[in-house]
Amino acid sequence: MIVIRHLTKQYPTHLAVDDVSFEVGARETLVLLGTSGSGKTTTLKMINRLIEPTSGIIEVNGIKIGERKLHELRREIGYVIQETGLFPHYTIGENIALVPRLLQWDERKIQDRTRELLAMLRLPETYLNAYPGQLSGGQRQRVGLARALAAQPAILLMDEPLGALDPVTRSAIRREFRQLEEIRKKTIVLVTHDIREAFELGDRIALMDGGRIQQIGTPRELLLHPANDFVRHFFADQWLSLQLHVFSLEDLSPYLPDEQTPSPDARIFPAHTQLADVLQELAGPESVVFQANHRFITVQSATIWPALGQLLQNQTAS
Ligand SMILES: Nc1ncnc2c1ncn2[C@@H]1O[C@H](COP(=O)(O)OP(=O)(O)OP(=O)(O)O)[C@@H](O)[C@H]1O
């Protein structure tokens, strides 16, 4: 659990972070979203004391971070950055094992954990003896994540972790991230300027501008109930496609027809599946079935849109 109160960073010529307060609960992912220079990275780096605040309080698990020994604090907090920070002259195995070795883990345990991480992040074991320069950007990014996870920190700080990748790879890795149980169990603060990334990965989003939080809330709250014109305009370009990330099949169920007897080969989806994930899976006129309120319901890509239209109409009216 992270608690931040009235956090400010004043540089001689610039107020980078201006009276920011928020909390991140256990197992929650909070995304700091905003345009370049809005204070996201400065806020993040104050949490692991890479930058010292001018004023304000940061507590990690109930203790003010200023009162902690720096190396102990950093051990509890994994840190993933865009450039991955891998050491080019260390092998992949050595890079991943860096923190466990510093912690003097038993060598056997280090080997087991390294292999476990490679399998989890779908990296072949043959890469153990390769060097970062021999891997693709996406693979390096996975190794960076493996290294941050190696010593099982409860907290992860991620600064544009997918920033160096092309949109297709980004989207694929985002999907993998969301499915990894080990990541879902962490308390995460993630910095990005990519709105879709924020909507896909964030339980809540803090939208920053000029060093201040303009609004903090769930993706749905920010999209449907913007606190001010800045927030409204920030999402305006992608307003329609973002609906696909904030609504699930269950939300659409009142606007879709019942299916009496789903065919045995029908693809069954959990009712909480986001619409964006459904559309990703659907090719052509194929349909999927889900169950909500004791009903079987069928949906196709062609019927998602009119149902979503009706849902939005009702949301706006209410
Ligand atoms: N060492 C410094 N001295 C003076 N100003 C700084 C310093 N570091 C950052 N700033 C300024 O503070 C502001 C916030 O920077 P920060 O890196 O936190 O923004 P950001 O939202 O993370 O942007 P980006 O997405 O480009 O990284 C920027 O205007 C930046 O120029």
Side-chain angles (χ1 to χ4, degrees), residues 210-267:
R212 300 192 75 113
I213 293 181
Q214 296 295 323
Q215 186 171 358
I216 184 165
T218 62
R220 190 185 286 208
E221 283 164 354
L222 266 67
L223 200 61
L224 299 181
H225 306 290
N228 56 38
D229 282 347
F230 176 84
V231 181
R232 189 171 296 114
H233 290 143
F234 197 84
F235 298 119
D237 278 0
Q238 299 183 44
W239 194 81
L240 194 56
S241 63
L242 291 174
Q243 307 293 337
L244 299 173
H245 293 284
V246 303
F247 290 117
S248 65
L249 283 171
E250 192 159 26
D251 295 318
L252 281 198
S253 65
Y255 311 99
L256 292 164
D258 282 18
E259 173 80 15
Q260 299 306 336
T261 45
S263 73
D265 56 351
R267 299 176 62 194

Side-chain angles (χ1 to χ4, degrees), residues 12-174:
T13 53
H14 196 83
L15 182 57
V17 174
D18 183 8
D19 193 21
V20 158
S21 298
F22 60 82
E23 291 176 11
V24 194
R27 293 167 155 253
E28 184 184 26
T29 298
L30 177 79
V31 174
L32 301 178
L33 174 68
T35 49
S36 187
S38 53
K40 310 180 295 292
T41 296
T42 308
T43 303
L44 192 79
K45 286 184 171 171
M46 286 193 274
I47 301 174
N48 63 359
R49 291 184 58 192
L50 281 170
I51 295 178
E52 289 296 334
T54 308
S55 60
I57 291 171
I58 303 178
E59 285 178 8
V60 170
N61 294 332
I63 304 174
K64 292 195 182 84
I65 59 169
E67 295 169 1
R68 302 286 308 277
K69 289 205 177 80
L70 198 56
H71 67 276
E72 281 177 12
L73 180 76
R74 299 245 174 99
R75 203 179 292 166
E76 266 173 54
I77 304 181
Y79 185 45
V80 188
I81 53 173
Q82 179 176 329
E83 313 82 54
T84 73
L86 297 178
F87 291 108
H89 304 301
Y90 282 18
T91 64
I92 299 306
E94 288 163 347
N95 266 290
I96 294 176
L98 206 69
V99 181
R101 287 227 163 84
L102 282 175
L103 296 176
Q104 298 182 323
W105 280 20
D106 173 77
E107 193 55 32
R108 183 61 206 253
K109 190 174 159 194
I110 293 178
Q111 296 302 329
D112 288 349
R113 178 66 176 149
T114 305
R115 284 173 206 284
E116 179 183 39
L117 285 161
L118 286 178
M120 185 175 101
L121 295 168
R122 298 203 290 117
L123 289 159
E125 279 197 18
T126 48
Y127 285 7
L128 274 178
N129 297 317
Y131 289 89
Q134 296 171 284
L135 271 58
S136 72
Q139 290 164 336
R140 276 202 293 273
Q141 212 67 57
R142 290 196 179 102
V143 176
L145 180 63
R147 189 177 63 176
L149 292 171
Q152 292 164 326
I155 296 174
L156 269 189
L157 305 181
M158 307 174 105
D159 195 349
E160 299 272 2
L162 310 178
L165 307 175
D166 64 87
V168 176
T169 311
R170 276 176 92 118
S171 164
I173 296 192
R174 276 205 297 268

